Amino acid sequence: MQHNINETDSINREMDVAWQFIANTGVSVFLTGKAGTGKTTFLRRLRSVLPKRMVVLAPTGVAAINAGGQTIHSFFQFAPGPYVPGAQSKESNSYFRMAQQKKNLIRTLDLLVIDEISMVRADLLDRIDDTLRRHRDPLKPFGGVQLLLIGDLMQLSPVTKNDEWSWLSQYYETPYFFSSHALQQLPYVTVELRHIYRQQDSTFIDILAKVRAGKLDRAGIDTLNSRYIPSFNPDERGWIRLTTHNHSAQSHNDTRLARLTSRPYTYTCRVTGDFPEQNYPAEAELTLKEGAQVMFIKNDLSPAHAYYNGKIGTITKIGADTVEVTCSDSDEPIAVTPVTWDNTKYTLDPVSKEIKEESAGSFTQYPLRLAWAITVHKSQGLTFEKAVLDINASFAHGQTYVALSRCRSLQGMVLSAPIEPHALITDTTVNSYIDAETGKTESNISRLPALRHQYTLSLLDELYSFSEIDRDYQWMLRVVDEHLSSQYPKFLIRLKAVNRPLQERLIDIAGRFRPQYTAAMELSGGDITGSPLEKRITDSCAYFAATMKEIFESLITRDAIINIENKRVAELYNNALSALRQSVMVKQSLFSGLAETVFSTGAYLNIKAKTLLDSIDGKPARKRRTDRPAKEKPVKEKKTVEKAPKTDTYQETLRLYEAGMSPDEIARQRNLQPWTIYGHLGRLASQGLVDIDDLVSKEHQLIIRNAAAKFTSAYTLKEIRELVPDNISYAEIKITLAQHSPDNQ
């Protein structure tokens, strides 16, 4: 079925095209466009409508909160610092013991959305590729996951320190995401949103386009500078000053607040759970006065919709529990109450197998910020009716463009100083890339019908492929034939008897069906819904589900239970049996599910993900012996009993830690050495059960990890201690290394 984004503006052809690529193909998309073209709106609609399993990530905490997603580093459990392609796979494997639930989520992911992609450095994108390949398909870029990259390269740039770039420049042409090695292997399309909603004045729109491209002529500069009004002092409320530096905005706000003679009130935020301070979306301590100019920093989600992110107003009434703001568009004051931002984390629902967005923590505060002045950076995504631009000290690519494009019109903009050419900073590398990519838009659009058709066909090919089952069956047959034929001759005969129905009733019939559904798709224009092919797929799924049950059910359950004395052979057999059981379970469940519904892209992907997760949850241990008599290894049974308390001891440490005890208090309570407790906490941190940042500062963690990285073989804590500053304790070293490399401790 072809999915449509019904809410899309009829005049926005490119937005609809982007939707078609994401919903109805497996092609990755870079969605770009000038400021005010609706990129954020597109993402919001995508999340509410798209049937694919997706997660939304962003490079910074604030961007992630705004996008309603998670940071890249948090989701993938990345350590800070640069990444060199191919050099850190082992480090990643040893440093991070990703929870099985997270691995399962990654394995069943259809779409990875990265917002504010312009801020993502090339090495970070390659790091994502490395992780996805390790947990999914190692032969495909990004493990075969479809990407949606959203952002405008002409606005925010990636942060790259000089010392880091001196190193990374050996591997990358530029720090921008498009220099990623993995992305260059990925056949993605670029879609540029062109319809501008923010501005209506064609002259202003043309000037903004030239500033963005670094092609503003003298006439354009003169037009902008006509808005320079010396000693401009707004005589009405609602004007906001945009500055290039934090200290300028802070100083201006502090000065204006101090001029007010009214009583100050300070409101302290309330934080619950996991919500890092660097991700706070508002001031932790917010000081306001009656008469202060403020800006709302969140949309009003109540039925009243009284305010939106970026709306300017003045505090007209204030008290310990009262804040009222009056805006220029109404005489009716807005009674403001604290609102809550959630720190989103993705989990898998154990019952439904759906990807769930859960709150790992919350931040509650009044959704206000002093707004006589804000930085250009903080204005990202906002729209202002009246703004004073203090931007002649622009220091970064795209900064001037961002500031200018926040304004709805030329008439609502005043320059604090004439714009000089040196303030129009652009990166020619970015310009060249954008010109090249956006020039392909029409060509990409023309390919859409073929790609949509190709994608649906690829899903059907995947559905009717029995290659994995055949491979796993042949593997099991070879193990039994080579190692167990004399001991279990009847089982070998039973196993060999499966080969013929596997070939004739499954593989051959599926092969004959392929040219039929391929031709039927051609006749239906690639849309299965409502076509004769729809019923044929449903009927075929019912047939294959029943046939697979008939062929394999007893073989991989009752008949497969045999006693094997030899350890090595037992391991070979159980690995082969486990693999065959899983591949049969996934395929049979997939056919059964599709036999009860109408085939569509969304239905197929959803059922496939759930069946895969069910098979993982129900999969037996790959190295477990089958029906081993207890008398064979009584010592093993004893060891198993003796090891059980080890898990309990970690859980007890966790229980006491969550109750508020310090590591030393836990050691005294449990009559253990503090050293032991430090190791427990490090191991618990590696499992995501304890936040290591509460025990060891990020700076100290980085220093310790860098010291450990100098060793190519085993090391002692004393050797690490000799390489780090004196203010880092043995306890911090123990906890950090136990988290990142618990097997080394």
Side-chain angles (χ1 to χ4, degrees):
M1 180 176 73
Q2 181 176 332
H3 299 284
N4 293 292
I5 184 166
N6 297 324
E7 297 90 341
T8 299
D9 198 314
S10 62
I11 65 175
N12 202 324
R13 170 174 173 257
E14 291 78 20
M15 191 176 288
D16 185 64
V17 166
W19 174 266
Q20 298 297 335
F21 271 117
I22 294 299
N24 299 310
T25 80
V27 177
S28 294
V29 175
F30 169 39
L31 181 68
T32 188
K34 303 177 179 68
T37 51
K39 296 184 293 294
T40 302
T41 301
F42 179 87
L43 175 58
R44 184 169 61 250
R45 293 171 178 171
L46 191 80
R47 298 180 66 162
S48 64
V49 181
L50 190 71
K52 292 185 177 182
R53 296 166 64 86
M54 61 184 289
V55 297
V56 179
L57 306 180
T60 67
V62 173
I65 297 298
N66 291 337
Q70 197 171 344
T71 66
I72 295 171
H73 282 77
S74 172
F75 180 80
F76 288 111
Q77 300 174 217
F78 289 156
Y83 169 86
V84 175
Q88 290 188 348
S89 294
K90 289 184 179 180
E91 179 187 317
S92 299
N93 280 319
S94 64
Y95 274 8
F96 299 106
R97 302 294 189 261
M98 190 176 284
Q100 188 61 48
Q101 186 192 64
K102 178 62 67 68
K103 293 178 183 177
N104 293 346
L105 191 158
I106 290 174
R107 287 185 66 184
T108 58
L109 194 63
D110 299 317
L111 176 66
L112 174 63
V113 181
I114 303 179
D115 197 21
E116 300 291 3
I117 188 63
S118 65
M119 300 174 66
V120 176
R121 234 169 38 194
D123 63 310
L124 181 55
L125 205 57
D126 279 341
R127 196 171 192 176
I128 294 171
D129 168 71
D130 178 58
T131 300
L132 291 175
R133 286 181 190 254
R134 282 189 286 114
H135 292 293
R136 295 172 59 97
D137 191 334
L139 301 179
K140 294 180 179 178
F142 301 96
V145 177
Q146 184 183 26
L147 302 183
L148 172 58
L149 311 176
I150 304 176
D152 183 6
L153 280 163
M154 299 301 188
Q155 298 188 47
L156 298 177
S157 304
V159 176
T160 306
K161 299 176 181 176
N162 290 335
D163 58 336
E164 291 180 341
W165 182 240
S166 64
W167 183 30
L168 290 172
S169 61
Q170 303 173 52
Y171 305 93
Y172 297 101
E173 292 184 8
T174 79
Y176 296 102
F177 79 92
F178 55 78
S179 291
S180 153
H181 298 273
L183 192 67
Q184 292 172 13
Q185 300 172 22
L186 186 71
Y188 66 98
V189 300
T190 297
V191 178
E192 182 185 24
L193 301 181
R194 296 171 179 170
H195 182 76
I196 297 173
Y197 295 91
R198 183 173 292 151
Q199 294 89 17
Q200 304 299 320
D201 180 6
S202 60
T203 300
F204 191 31
I205 291 174
D206 181 63
I207 288 174
L208 290 176
K210 291 178 178 179
V211 172
R212 183 175 184 267
K215 299 177 181 178
L216 187 63
D217 53 22
R218 188 69 250 177
I221 292 178
D222 290 342
T223 300
L224 287 177
N225 285 338
S226 69
R227 299 304 303 160
Y228 166 57
I229 305 175
S231 304
F232 176 76
N233 187 19
D235 57 1
E236 56 183 291
R237 300 185 185 276
W239 285 86
I240 188 168
R241 178 178 292 267
L242 300 188
T243 69
T244 53
H245 293 76
N246 274 309
H247 65 85
S248 298
Q250 186 67 49
S251 176
H252 189 79
N253 284 328
D254 290 346
T255 300
R256 295 294 299 269
L257 189 67
R259 290 178 188 172
L260 299 177
T261 58
S262 51
R263 175 184 172 183
Y265 289 86
T266 298
Y267 306 94
T268 302
C269 69
R270 185 174 74 254
V271 179
T272 64
D274 178 17
F275 208 116
E277 186 174 350
Q278 65 268 24
N279 295 347
Y280 286 179
E283 298 291 335
E285 301 284 333
L286 178 64
T287 300
L288 303 173
K289 294 180 180 180
E290 185 176 319
Q293 180 165 291
V294 292
M295 180 177 71
F296 289 94
I297 54 175
K298 191 175 176 56
N299 294 331
D300 180 13
L301 300 180
S302 74
H305 300 298
Y307 55 83
Y308 54 84
N309 187 18
K311 187 169 187 173
I312 306 293
T314 302
I315 295 178
T316 49
K317 186 177 180 180
I318 191 169
D321 301 307
T322 304
V323 178
E324 291 186 1
V325 177
T326 301
C327 303
S328 59
D329 60 353
S330 174
D331 294 330
E332 187 71 23
I334 301 170
V336 188
T337 57
V339 299
T340 297
W341 289 262
D342 290 315
N343 181 24
T344 300
K345 290 197 175 177
Y346 292 96
T347 62
L348 275 176
D349 187 290
V351 178
S352 69
K353 309 299 183 183
E354 298 289 339
I355 297 176
K356 298 292 186 182
E357 298 178 8
E358 294 186 352
S359 176
S362 66
F363 175 95
T364 303
Q365 179 62 284
Y366 283 94
L368 298 170
R369 171 184 292 138
L370 291 176
W372 286 288
I374 64 171
T375 62
V376 174
H377 188 85
K378 285 188 172 66
S379 74
Q380 184 75 18
L382 302 179
T383 302
F384 302 117
E385 300 290 343
K386 297 181 291 187
V388 177
L389 307 187
D390 183 10
I391 54 175
N392 220 36
S394 293
F395 59 89
H397 157 76
Q399 201 171 35
T400 298
Y401 171 69
V402 172
L404 292 169
S405 62
R406 299 312 95 192
C407 303
R408 194 177 293 278
S409 67
L410 274 170
Q411 291 69 33
M413 176 188 77
V414 172
L415 300 177
S416 65
I419 289 181
E420 300 294 339
H422 67 76
L424 303 174
I425 304 172
T426 58
D427 191 320
T428 55
T429 304
V430 170
N431 292 345
S432 298
Y433 171 79
I434 290 293
D435 289 343
E437 286 299 309
T438 55
K440 303 174 185 175
T441 297
E442 290 303 319
S443 172
N444 292 333
I445 293 174
S446 67
R447 295 167 55 207
L448 181 56
L451 290 170
R452 185 169 61 235
H453 182 105
Q454 179 184 329
Y455 181 59
T456 305
L457 192 60
S458 71
L459 296 183
L460 289 173
D461 287 345
E462 183 181 76
L463 171 63
Y464 293 110
S465 171
F466 290 92
S467 59
E468 185 175 356
I469 292 175
D470 188 40
R471 180 199 66 202
D472 292 338
Y473 164 75
Q474 298 297 339
W475 177 23
M476 185 174 172
L477 179 61
R478 186 167 63 252
V479 170
V480 175
D481 193 22
E482 292 178 0
H483 302 283
L484 298 169
S485 58
S486 59
Q487 188 177 358
Y488 295 101
K490 291 183 179 179
F491 179 59
L492 178 59
I493 293 172
R494 172 74 182 89
L495 192 59
K496 286 183 176 180
V498 168
N499 188 59
R500 184 171 179 177
L502 170 60
Q503 297 296 327
E504 294 180 353
R505 299 177 63 189
L506 296 177
I507 296 174
D508 290 351
I509 290 178
R512 290 198 297 271
F513 187 36
R514 188 185 193 284
Q516 297 177 35
Y517 65 68
T518 301
M521 280 192 62
E522 291 290 344
L523 291 173
S524 65
D527 194 355
I528 296 174
T529 306
S531 71
L533 180 59
E534 184 179 271
K535 186 175 186 307
R536 293 201 62 189
I537 291 174
T538 302
D539 291 344
S540 70
C541 287
Y543 164 81
F544 283 118
T547 304
M548 288 187 67
K549 183 177 181 179
E550 179 185 338
I551 295 173
F552 288 106
E553 186 174 38
S554 63
L555 176 68
I556 61 177
T557 54
R558 182 179 63 253
D559 294 353
I561 300 175
I562 58 177
N563 295 319
I564 304 174
E565 301 294 329
N566 184 285
K567 276 186 176 182
R568 187 180 70 83
V569 175
E571 182 174 346
L572 285 173
Y573 176 78
N574 280 282
N575 285 344
L577 177 60
S578 178
L580 181 59
R581 278 176 172 169
Q582 185 179 10
S583 58
V584 169
M585 178 191 277
V586 170
K587 184 68 73 172
Q588 187 177 336
S589 298
L590 185 56
F591 281 130
S592 297
L594 290 170
E596 298 176 358
T597 188
V598 175
F599 182 90
S600 67
T601 298
Y604 175 80
L605 294 174
N606 187 44
I607 295 172
K608 175 187 172 184
K610 289 181 179 180
T611 56
L612 179 59
L613 291 171
D614 285 338
S615 75
I616 294 171
D617 292 341
K619 185 174 67 175
R622 294 180 71 86
K623 294 186 178 182
R624 185 180 66 197
R625 285 193 175 192
T626 306
D627 283 6
R628 183 183 63 197
K631 64 181 182 179
E632 281 190 31
K633 291 281 185 179
V635 177
K636 285 280 185 181
E637 298 295 330
K638 185 177 179 181
K639 283 185 178 181
T640 302
V641 173
E642 290 176 351
K643 283 184 177 180
K646 189 173 182 180
T647 299
D648 295 339
T649 193
Y650 285 106
Q651 293 301 316
E652 181 63 14
T653 295
L654 177 61
R655 185 183 68 80
L656 296 174
Y657 180 78
E658 289 179 337
M661 287 189 178
S662 69
D664 289 344
E665 290 171 336
I666 296 172
R668 288 194 294 271
Q669 172 78 15
R670 301 195 59 199
N671 197 27
L672 296 172
Q673 293 295 320
W675 199 246
T676 302
I677 302 302
Y678 300 147
H680 288 181
L681 293 172
R683 184 69 65 89
L684 291 167
S686 74
Q687 299 170 355
L689 300 174
V690 168
D691 189 352
I692 194 174
D693 294 345
D694 293 339
L695 300 164
V696 185
S697 71
K698 291 184 183 294
E699 181 184 3
H700 283 190
Q701 290 178 55
L702 182 59
I703 294 172
I704 294 166
R705 288 197 303 274
N706 287 340
K710 298 180 183 296
F711 294 89
T712 57
S713 57
Y715 50 79
T716 65
L717 296 181
K718 183 179 179 182
E719 289 174 317
I720 300 296
R721 183 68 183 83
E722 292 173 351
L723 296 176
V724 301
D726 293 339
N727 63 336
I728 296 180
S729 67
Y730 269 108
E732 291 178 301
I733 296 172
K734 176 76 172 178
I735 292 170
T736 301
L737 296 181
Q739 182 209 14
H740 294 298
S741 188
D743 294 340
N744 201 33
Q745 302 302 302

